[in-house]
């Protein structure tokens, strides 16, 4: 608990922290589940890839770049109809997860693609020489070989999502960002703003440390 906050503010703080965890965790899960196949598709269909196909690679790449190049707060507002269709509402934690997941998926897909590009081509060629199919190479060679880079990419995504989730609070997304804006800024309560900043810093540091530890563990195998 945070001793300099009143009991009512502490309850609000715990609720906001839980909403932030749900937003970050839910969006990150969707980003990994959708972003990994997208990254494999981009890598496989790129020039010199296992299934080179510009007709697939270019449109998918352009779509991902379009999402990545749109500032997050503008993206949230631009996809309000889609968010309302998916989540049934355009405000709140559930609605924020939709826009967070969309932004994070595009971001993660590119990071995953970079991780796959760093895999030694000799390993891929050896797998092809042994008769492995394209699908087997993608899932059983590329993914395990790129695992340290994939974990590092997920860590970067999680850290970015913490910042995005705080931004989502500015447009009714809930979470710590919303608490900081409504109480710390609009009601001139610096102790609330300081608490939000402190918890976000500790949260990001914890995520980064955990990600770095996992990367080291995987590379030692």
């Amino acid at each position: 608990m945070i001793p300099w906050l009143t009991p009512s503010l502490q309850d609000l703080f715990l609720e906001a922290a839980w909403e932030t965890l749900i937003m970050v965790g839910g969006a990150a899960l969707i980003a990994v589940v959708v972003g990994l196949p997208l990254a494999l598709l981009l890598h496989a269909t790129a020039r010199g890839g296992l299934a080179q196909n510009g007709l697939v690679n270019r449109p998918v790449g352009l779509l991902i770049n379009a999402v990545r190049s749109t500032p997050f707060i503008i993206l949230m507002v631009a996809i309000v109809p889609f968010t309302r269709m998916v989540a049934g509402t355009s405000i709140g934690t559930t609605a924020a997860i939709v826009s967070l997941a969309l932004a994070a998926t595009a971001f993660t897909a590119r990071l995953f693609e970079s991780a796959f590009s760093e895999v030694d081509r000799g390993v891929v060629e050896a797998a092809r020489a042994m008769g492995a199919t394209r699908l087997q190479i993608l899932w059983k060679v590329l993914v395990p070989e790129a695992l340290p880079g994939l974990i590092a990419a997920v860590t970067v995504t999680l850290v970015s999502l913490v910042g995005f989730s705080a931004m989502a609070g500015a447009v009714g997304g809930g979470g710590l960002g919303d608490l900081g804006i409504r109480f710390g800024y609009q009601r001139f309560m610096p102790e609330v703003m300081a608490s939000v900043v402190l918890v976000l810093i500790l949260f990001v540091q914890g995520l980064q440390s955990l990600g770095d530890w996992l990367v080291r563990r995987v590379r030692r195998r």
Side-chain angles (χ1 to χ4, degrees):
M1 303 299 288
I2 303 175
W4 55 82
L5 297 181
T6 64
S8 59
L9 281 176
Q10 289 185 16
D11 290 340
L12 287 173
F13 200 94
L14 287 174
E15 182 182 353
W18 176 244
E19 289 174 348
T20 295
L21 286 173
I22 292 174
M23 285 191 288
V24 172
L29 179 61
I30 295 171
V32 172
V33 170
V34 180
L36 184 58
L38 273 177
L40 287 169
L41 177 65
L42 287 170
H43 182 76
T45 58
R47 183 175 298 177
L50 292 170
Q52 179 176 326
N53 189 332
L55 293 177
V56 173
N57 186 273
R58 281 192 290 272
V60 174
L62 284 172
L63 180 61
I64 290 175
N65 289 340
V67 175
R68 287 187 62 200
S69 61
T70 305
F72 177 67
I73 198 155
I74 295 177
L75 179 68
M76 283 192 70
V77 176
I79 65 168
V80 162
F82 175 74
T83 301
R84 191 178 290 116
M85 180 180 67
V86 172
T89 179
S90 59
I91 59 173
T93 303
T94 304
I97 290 176
V98 176
S99 51
L100 284 169
L102 182 60
T105 296
F107 183 70
T108 305
R110 282 302 188 190
L111 292 179
F112 282 173
E113 184 188 11
S114 297
F116 292 138
S117 299
E118 294 174 3
V119 174
D120 187 356
R121 291 186 64 87
V123 176
V124 176
E125 293 301 325
R128 295 182 71 174
M130 289 187 288
T133 64
R134 292 172 180 172
L135 198 58
Q136 288 174 329
I137 292 173
L138 290 175
W139 288 105
K140 296 184 178 181
V141 177
L142 273 176
V143 172
E145 288 292 324
L147 193 55
L150 297 179
I151 294 174
V154 172
T155 303
V156 173
T157 300
L158 284 168
V159 170
S160 299
L161 278 172
V162 173
F164 287 162
S165 70
M167 225 182 302
V171 287
L176 290 171
D178 177 56
L179 184 69
I181 291 171
R182 285 192 298 116
F183 288 86
Y185 177 70
Q186 294 178 348
R187 300 189 186 184
F188 304 102
M189 300 175 70
E191 68 276 15
V192 174
M193 184 65 78
S195 301
V196 168
V197 172
L198 177 61
V199 170
L200 289 176
I201 289 174
L202 292 175
F203 189 31
V204 167
Q205 290 295 326
L207 288 172
Q208 189 66 58
S209 298
L210 177 61
D212 292 342
W213 177 79
L214 287 173
V215 169
R216 289 195 298 270
R217 285 293 300 270
V218 170
R219 281 178 176 165
R220 287 173 187 168
R221 294 181 180 178

